[in-house]
Amino acid sequence: MKDNLISQSATLLDALDRLNRLSGGAMTLFATDSDGRLTGALTDGDIRRAILVGISLDSPVSTAMFRGFKAIRPHADTDDVTLLRACRERGLRLVPRLDDDGRP
């Protein structure tokens, strides 16, 4: 999971480089804030869509990341197995598990 983490303040160009190095695996990055809490997910498709609306590659990851990402959270209303099954049906290959503070 460590390879899939990136700061939300990193540039989109940095994110593209990181995604390129992940090739063959789960091609998703998870953005973190300065306290290490997950704040969003980012794929190459998110970056492409950002570019198409005029966002620069020098812009931070936070401008293009998806904030409604799925994660396994403590004390969630849905059990882990049900969530994982739903994620698999949606084609998600990587689902982070977070602690009570939202950190992986």
Side-chain angles (χ1 to χ4, degrees):
M1 176 79 176
K2 183 179 176 184
D3 291 340
N4 296 82
L5 297 177
I6 191 166
S7 170
Q8 68 182 7
S9 62
T11 67
L12 292 175
L13 186 59
D14 291 335
L16 280 174
D17 180 54
R18 294 281 302 281
L19 285 166
N20 191 51
R21 286 188 265 143
L22 290 175
S23 67
M27 301 287 289
T28 302
L29 295 174
F30 290 99
T32 58
D33 64 15
S34 60
D35 292 321
R37 290 185 294 264
L38 256 56
T39 56
L42 186 74
T43 65
D44 62 336
D46 296 317
I47 297 171
R48 282 194 311 270
R49 285 184 286 279
I51 291 168
L52 288 172
V53 297
I55 295 174
S56 162
L57 287 176
D58 292 326
S59 298
V61 164
S62 61
T63 62
M65 69 186 188
F66 177 66
R67 295 174 190 274
F69 64 94
K70 295 291 183 195
I72 297 173
R73 302 171 194 272
H75 318 297
D77 293 337
T78 306
D79 65 80
D80 294 353
V81 173
T82 302
L83 176 63
L84 287 173
R85 205 172 277 139
C87 289
R88 177 166 275 173
E89 288 171 3
R90 292 182 56 206
L92 299 176
R93 295 179 55 193
L94 186 64
V95 182
R97 177 183 292 271
L98 306 180
D99 67 13
D100 287 327
D101 294 321
R103 293 181 184 91

